[in-house]
Each structure stands twice: as C-alpha cells, then as structure tokens.
Amino acid sequence: MSIPETAKEIHLVDYPTGKPTPEIYEVVEAPVREPGDGEILMRVVFMSVDPYMRGRMNPHVKSYIPPFQKGEALDGGAVGQVIKSNSEKFATGDYVVGYNGGWREYYTGPTDGFNKVDPSLAPLSAYLGVLGMPGFTAWAGMSQILEPKEGDVLFVSGAAGAVGSMVGQLGKLKGCKVIGSAGSTEKCDWLTGELGFDVALNYKDYANSTELTKGLSQAAGKGGVNCYFENVGGMHLEAAINCIAFGGRIALCGMISNYNDTKPEPGPYNLTNLIGRGVKMQGFIVSNFMLLARDFYAEVGPMLAGGKIHFRETVYEGLEKAPEAFNGLFEGANTGKAVVRVAPDTA
Ligand SMILES: NC(=O)c1ccc[n+]([C@@H]2O[C@H](COP(=O)([O-])OP(=O)(O)OC[C@H]3O[C@@H](n4cnc5c(N)ncnc54)[C@H](OP(=O)(O)O)[C@@H]3O)[C@@H](O)[C@H]2O)c1
C-alpha cells in the first residue's frame, strides 16, 4: 500500500467551556511522517470516542492523563492496519489496536500500548469496544472491585453504553439480578430483551434522586442493591447509596453527568449510609489492572465466541464526524460503543 504525502487529522483549536462546540476543532491536512526506528505507520480504520477525552480538554485539572494541547491533533484509541513497520513487534499488514492513533487518518509513532488483533475473530471495531478498553473496564470493575456473587442484586448506570452493557451481561453470567438505567425506552428494551437484564429504569422518568430511589428500591427488592457499578454520578449515585445493602460494594468507574459542568455539583448528601452499612466504595482506572489484560481476553473471548455476550455499536462515517460522535456521548446518541469509521474496513 502506498504512503500518501498528506492526510487529515483533527486538531484542538480551543478548550471548551461546558459541552464542546464545533468551533473548538479544525480538520488539518498534515504531512504523513515515515516511521522512525521502532515505530509503525498505521492506516486507521476505526477510531474511538470515549468520555475520558472530555477530561483531557480541561487544561487546568490535574488528572491521570495529560491534557490535549491546543494546535495539536487530538488523540485516543484506534484500530487499523500497519502499512510500514520499523518495529520488531509488528509486520507490515498486521492489524493492530492502540491507545493512540485516533482523530487522524494515519498514525506514525511508537508501538507502546499497541497489540496485534485478529480480524477473523471479531470485527475490527470490536477491539475498541467489547474486546477493547471499555469491555476490559467492565470486566476489571466487576472482577476486581465488585466481586458479585450468585443471587446478588447488581445495579449499573449508563447501562446501554459500551461499559455498562458489558457490566450487566457479566452480572447475569454470575447469576445476579441485574438492574440497569438508561435514557430511552428503546435502550431499556434492548437491556431487558437481547441483553437479558432483569429490570431497566429509564432515568428520564425520575425527576430527582428521591424519585429514582423509589424506582430502584422497588426493582431491587427488600435486600437492596449489593453491587453498584457507577458510570453516571449525580442522582444515580445518591439513589444507589440510598438503596445499598449491608456489606455492599460500589465501583466508581465514571460520572459522565458531571463532565461538562462549569462549576462543581454538590456531592452525595447521604454518604453516612456507607458507614453503618459497612459499604466499600472504590474508584478505579482501567490501566490500574493492565497486568490482567490476558485474563480478560481468556475469559471474555470465549464468552463472545459462544454467543453469551452481545454488543452493539453506533458507527459514525468519516473522520470529520468525530466531533459529532464525541458529543453524542453526552447526548445519549449512542447505543453500545460509539466508533468512527475513518477508512473502509478491508480486513
Ligand atoms: N475508570 C475507567 O478506567 C473508565 C474507562 C472507560 C469508561 N469509563 C467511564 O465509564 C462511563 C461509561 O463510559 P462508556 O465509554 O461506556 O460511554 P457510553 O456509556 O457508551 O456513552 C455515554 C453514555 O452516558 C449516558 N449519559 C450521558 N450523559 C448523561 C447524563 N447526564 N445522565 C445520565 N446518563 C448520561 C448516555 O446514555 P443515556 O442515553 O443512557 O443517557 C451516553 O450514551 C463514563 O463515565 C466513562 O468516563 C471509565
């Protein structure tokens, strides 16, 4: 495959206040650099949009990952084909997935965080979702923090998203009663239909945490919620803390309802419940568990191949759609994993 002289990438022009607007991005035609020693040149097929990228648009907030720089290309997960390799790790023609390489048509750079993928086992885009970072996040939060047991009641917010849809299915496979929350009837129907959740709550039917507490309490039954997988924050966290069982566990994975806030929202009013009920609440970042990646693939690969795990993707066509795809995360536009097809999938 020939190497083009230039290709498109999306640059950050300005940091957003609140929800990102189209003006903060610029599509730039940039030179395609030849790979140096130990580097690869990858033709990107799919790129990922993920909620954590909003945190990288806050230049003054100290985080586990540095902010994007104005005037430079954005970055993030991508899957594609190596078209030139100066690395011993990959050969020309290999399909690879990495934590870098998104928001552009071609990636030239080091291979850290890149792994070879087998396009005959799953569609390439799945390596950004169910078999990628979000699937691994779900698996890690469940296996390393919540540790659900048969008969436990598991509640997951953001349940129709990339992480949440996996969490609920893993819970069902463990023999839990699974309650999910999502933002539309269609999403709730998917949860209780194809994914086998026991109950799905459309959180838009509940005006505040008191109302949501009533709905969740009724769904959970007398014993309450043993495990809560937190993706959303705000009234979801308050309702979950109200309903948490004695000895319950809460995994703090994300709080997407706060990511575009321009001032901090008050925290949950009811944390005292955690003391008397002996609840463990623990935050985590998926990279904390990177050494367990092989265990994730060993467990989830066969589940997927055996039809025990289902997934959906919302695919945006063309690199220029990346900003729209990203904003869609905050608007509930995706069901399952949101990805952008940057080039035809030739695998
Ligand atoms: N800790 C980690 O290492 C890690 C790794 C990956 C992801 N995460 C976190 O996990 C969460 C889910 O990520 P994901 O990749 O699976 O995204 P996703 O759930 O596929 O997409 C985001 C979803 O969040 C929901 N949402 C957006 N704004 C909301 C609001 N104000 N209130 C309630 N729901 C809202 C929307 O669904 P509805 O239609 O249902 O509103 C939207 O589709 C995020 O908080 C993310 O930051 C953490």
Side-chain angles (χ1 to χ4, degrees), residues 302-310:
M303 285 176 180
L304 193 66
K308 292 182 173 160
I309 296 279
H310 302 269

Side-chain angles (χ1 to χ4, degrees), residues 11-97:
H11 286 209
L12 184 72
V13 176
D14 210 351
Y15 293 113
T17 305
K19 202 196 289 181
T21 55
E23 296 74 42
I24 70 160
Y25 306 100
E26 185 182 14
V27 181
V28 172
E29 192 75 28
V32 175
R33 185 170 68 75
E34 285 277 332
D37 261 4
E39 292 187 336
I40 52 167
L41 171 60
M42 171 177 79
R43 173 178 160 273
V44 176
V45 177
F46 287 98
M47 61 159 271
S48 183
V49 285
D50 294 287
Y52 79 88
M53 293 170 180
R54 181 62 186 83
R56 297 193 70 186
M57 294 177 179
N58 295 333
H60 305 302
V61 179
K62 200 163 183 274
S63 174
Y64 61 95
I65 186 164
F68 293 126
Q69 295 301 308
K70 277 201 267 188
E72 291 182 9
L74 293 129
D75 203 1
V79 61
Q81 190 170 26
V82 175
I83 60 168
K84 185 164 180 180
S85 177
N86 288 335
S87 156
E88 286 181 359
K89 203 169 153 188
F90 303 120
T92 299
D94 281 352
Y95 284 93
V96 295
V97 65

Side-chain angles (χ1 to χ4, degrees), residues 48-53 64 128 133-138 140 157-166 181-184 187-188 191 201-204 229-236 252-261 283-289 326-338:
S48 183
V49 285
D50 294 287
Y52 79 88
M53 293 170 180
Y64 61 95
L128 297 174
M133 184 277 282
F136 185 31
T137 302
S157 54
V163 175
S165 55
M166 182 72 165
S181 74
S184 73
K187 289 183 181 185
C188 288
L191 296 178
L201 304 172
N202 182 345
Y203 68 86
K204 291 183 180 162
F229 196 107
E230 167 69 303
N231 286 318
V232 166
M235 73 170 183
H236 278 88
L252 300 179
C253 175
M255 296 196 182
I256 195 167
S257 69
N258 304 342
Y259 293 176
N260 288 314
D261 285 353
F284 75 103
I285 298 295
V286 61
S287 51
N288 302 155
F289 300 107
F326 180 55
N327 262 25
L329 297 174
F330 307 103
E331 293 159 353
N334 63 309
T335 299
K337 176 71 189 126

